Amino acid sequence: LQPFEQKEFVQYFMPYREVGVVKNATKEAVVNIELLEKTAEIKLYVTAPYTKLKVALFENDKEIFSEVISSSPEAPYLRTVVLNDTIVEAQLKLIITDLDTNKELVSYQKDEEIEHEIPSPAQPAKKPEEIENNEQLFLTGLHLEQYRHATYVATDYYNEALRRDPKDVRSNNAMGVWYLRRGQFVKAEGYFKKAIATLTQRNPNPYDGEPYHNLGWALKMQDKNEEAYGAFFKSVWNDAWQHAGYLNLARIACIKKDFEEALNLIDSALVKNYHSHTARHAKVFILRKLGKKNEALNLISESLNIDPFNFGCLFESYFLFTASGEIVKAQSSLEELKKLSRNWVHNFIEYAFDYAHAGLFEDASALLKLQLQDCDEPYPMVYYYLGWFESKLGNHQQALEYFKTASSLSSDFCFPNRIEDVPVLQKAMALNTRDAKAPYYIGNFWYDKRQYEDAINCWEKSIQIDDSLATVHRNLSLAYYNRLKDPINALSSLEKAFMLDKKDARVLMELDQLYKRLNTPHKQRLTLLEEHIALVESRDDLYLECITLYNQLGDYEKSKALLATYRFHPWEGGEGKAIGQFLICHLELAKKSIKENDYAEALTLLDAAENYPSNLGEGKLYGVQENDILYLKGI
């Protein structure tokens, strides 16, 4: 579109996109045809110059118009063709052909309009015990997982299927995957083995390799590499799992230092997925380990031509050039890696674990240390990973030093979420028993994954080590109240959290809400908010809660004054709340004026109640009922 002036682009293309009649497009051209009375308007835009294009219009395979033209992005083609009276739009077909290559560039024919029945509305899922068979129980659970339903739980349906048939293959596999994704590798292993026992009852090589592949991961995450190797090998009997299976087999071969076998296995993975970033990266480092530098560099070049964002290959080129003393080339690769990856820590972590899964912990460490070079505020998990890599290499003293460094860093914005984080943090807790942050982090992971008992245990362990972390007390409060139904401990923990950090407006808001749920007197709640008015003013919900308390205590003038001096912002769940308090204080003040015979003031207040000020962040809906306002006006 660069050759076009803006007005020309709008003239030729915007009207058609607005009404949705751009009909057909390829990388080479956009074409449109519109019927207007007895004419057809043909419009063609090409993305490169063409010297010999044939524009042909057909009616029921009979050519009724054709023309050979040249066209370019600067010169769109527009033509009006006169038609006879009997032509039906669905019978017209437009074909644009490049005569130099005899290639059809683009074509269009309107589809016949077909009346379809309106689909039935979506139906809510039945309760698990009401579903008629295991097939539907599994499919319902799968649907709920895919769409992350807020109130239905997929495992209720899988467990009901297993209650009816404990040997059900798909539900056992689904439960195993559910636990695997939540870092519960031992529990996951049991479910996968049950699924495999049923699958292999009559055939040792089942048609579906997924349970074997998943079992391989559950075992590998427990460092049971020999067993995992066997599981992955069984999975590749099934075509769908050959890429992932052979990739993980190659990784385990690397762990065993059998790089010749690893090369054969990674080649098998690439046969099934030629463009795989991960497999290409793995093949490069396997070639490097075998001393095949030129082959590795050729593969890097080929891989970066396919996708220049293969960060693993960029790092490998830095590795290879550095090892051979080609410093300028090495520095160029490193700069390109940091530029394309934005030196974003999570990009480096993902590739570091590609090395770690292959047992190449020194390489994984080297990659993470490169990210730290240009990092002002290190991400705590990077040092936990470095410590874990050293522990896997048997360097426990160095691992401990990394773990201590990790525990000293700020926990702001650190939220571990990878399944690999589970063994990393567990190792940190084992080696550095004075680290309060590792159990805090893994507790966050467990709570996010609905492993509530494990989460509470970890948070309680954290405050036993160091009870000065405010967020740990805050998290425990939510867990006590929502999961253990223990309001006493919940209140104690949240009060402790706010006492530790009186600058946290969110904790003040949550503390006030907990007081509200526990029927704490309004005056006591208001006193707390007045003591921390700067925090109250930093949050719309807290400020509105303060106004609500003044209204509930009958101080309507104070509410009115606070509402007049604050600008609210719309937020989900806050619809109508500021308006509601605005109406309460105005109506109550109007009633007071009526009692005092100050009718003019009452009318002024009622007129104001009918017109919401803009600072409330919400307008009046059409047709809103105002009977109370009108009644008081009538009085």
Side-chain angles (χ1 to χ4, degrees), residues 370-480:
L370 284 177
Q371 193 276 333
L372 289 173
Q373 289 176 358
D374 300 320
C375 183
D376 296 329
E377 296 183 17
Y379 184 58
M381 290 305 299
V382 169
Y383 281 97
Y384 280 116
Y385 298 141
L386 289 172
W388 188 68
F389 297 154
E390 291 296 334
S391 74
K392 300 296 285 185
L393 292 168
N395 303 326
H396 297 296
Q397 187 56 43
Q398 182 59 54
L400 180 59
E401 292 305 314
Y402 280 129
F403 289 148
K404 286 180 178 179
T405 302
S407 68
S408 69
L409 297 173
S410 170
S411 59
D412 293 349
F413 309 109
C414 180
F415 198 100
N417 58 83
R418 299 171 175 85
I419 61 171
E420 292 90 347
D421 294 338
V422 174
V424 169
L425 291 169
Q426 287 174 337
K427 175 59 73 172
M429 291 164 63
L431 281 185
N432 185 14
T433 57
R434 301 308 304 158
D435 181 2
K437 288 182 179 174
Y440 159 63
Y441 291 136
I442 198 171
N444 291 350
F445 179 92
W446 292 133
Y447 199 84
D448 175 60
K449 306 303 182 186
R450 299 187 178 189
Q451 310 299 293
Y452 302 119
E453 184 179 349
D454 289 335
I456 291 169
N457 290 338
C458 284
W459 287 333
E460 288 177 338
K461 181 173 183 178
S462 175
I463 61 174
Q464 287 171 6
I465 298 169
D466 180 0
D467 73 346
S468 66
L469 298 174
T471 307
V472 184
H473 291 280
R474 177 260 179 187
N475 290 359
L476 269 173
S477 174
L478 296 179
Y480 286 149

Side-chain angles (χ1 to χ4, degrees), residues 93-98 101-108:
K93 185 174 183 179
L94 178 66
I95 299 177
I96 313 297
T97 307
D98 180 5
T101 61
N102 203 29
K103 172 188 174 184
E104 183 179 297
L105 207 61
V106 65
S107 66
Y108 167 69

Side-chain angles (χ1 to χ4, degrees), residues 223-231 252 256:
D223 286 332
K224 299 178 180 179
N225 290 319
E226 285 300 325
E227 292 179 63
Y229 192 84
I252 295 174
K256 296 190 288 187

Side-chain angles (χ1 to χ4, degrees), residues 50-69:
Y50 287 89
T51 58
K52 208 171 183 182
L53 290 179
K54 180 180 179 181
V55 179
L57 187 63
F58 295 84
E59 178 192 3
N60 290 332
D61 298 327
K62 176 185 176 184
E63 186 177 290
I64 59 173
F65 167 80
S66 68
E67 183 177 14
V68 177
I69 63 162

Side-chain angles (χ1 to χ4, degrees), residues 490-508:
L491 181 59
S492 175
S493 292
L494 203 52
E495 287 176 332
K496 176 76 170 179
F498 187 61
M499 183 192 73
L500 290 168
D501 185 1
K502 293 191 175 181
K503 295 181 180 179
D504 194 329
R506 180 186 64 174
V507 172
L508 177 59

Side-chain angles (χ1 to χ4, degrees), residues 193-223:
K193 286 183 174 178
K194 286 180 184 177
I196 290 168
T198 303
L199 271 175
T200 58
Q201 193 170 0
R202 291 183 173 82
N203 188 341
N205 301 315
Y207 76 97
D208 185 4
E210 183 185 359
Y212 270 116
H213 182 267
N214 294 337
L215 175 62
W217 264 111
L219 293 167
K220 191 174 187 301
M221 293 305 296
Q222 299 174 67
D223 286 332

Side-chain angles (χ1 to χ4, degrees), residues 253-391:
C254 287
I255 292 171
K256 296 190 288 187
K257 308 300 182 186
D258 189 349
F259 294 108
E260 290 287 353
E261 177 65 10
L263 184 60
N264 292 330
L265 292 166
I266 203 64
D267 281 337
S268 296
L270 284 166
V271 166
K272 303 307 296 184
N273 187 353
Y274 184 71
H275 283 188
S276 168
H277 265 217
T278 308
R280 284 178 168 271
H281 176 210
K283 184 171 180 179
V284 171
F285 65 64
I286 291 168
L287 289 169
R288 172 167 59 82
K289 290 295 181 180
L290 290 170
K292 300 181 179 182
K293 175 189 171 183
N294 291 335
E295 288 184 47
L297 288 172
N298 289 337
L299 182 57
I300 289 171
S301 177
E302 178 187 304
S303 300
L304 293 176
N305 283 333
I306 293 172
D307 189 341
F309 289 89
N310 192 324
F311 302 144
C313 285
L314 281 171
F315 177 61
E316 280 295 320
S317 66
Y318 165 77
F319 233 146
L320 288 162
F321 288 134
T322 300
S324 60
E326 299 173 82
I327 304 304
V328 175
K329 290 182 178 179
Q331 192 61 30
S332 175
S333 295
L334 180 58
E335 289 173 1
E336 186 73 1
L337 169 63
K338 290 191 174 183
K339 181 180 77 172
L340 292 180
S341 69
R342 298 169 288 123
N343 204 43
W344 190 46
V345 63
H346 294 285
N347 282 332
F348 282 77
I349 289 170
E350 288 299 321
Y351 285 89
F353 271 105
D354 282 345
Y355 288 111
H357 286 309
L360 305 180
F361 301 110
E362 300 99 328
D363 298 347
S365 293
L367 178 56
L368 290 184
K369 288 174 183 176
L370 284 177
Q371 193 276 333
L372 289 173
Q373 289 176 358
D374 300 320
C375 183
D376 296 329
E377 296 183 17
Y379 184 58
M381 290 305 299
V382 169
Y383 281 97
Y384 280 116
Y385 298 141
L386 289 172
W388 188 68
F389 297 154
E390 291 296 334
S391 74

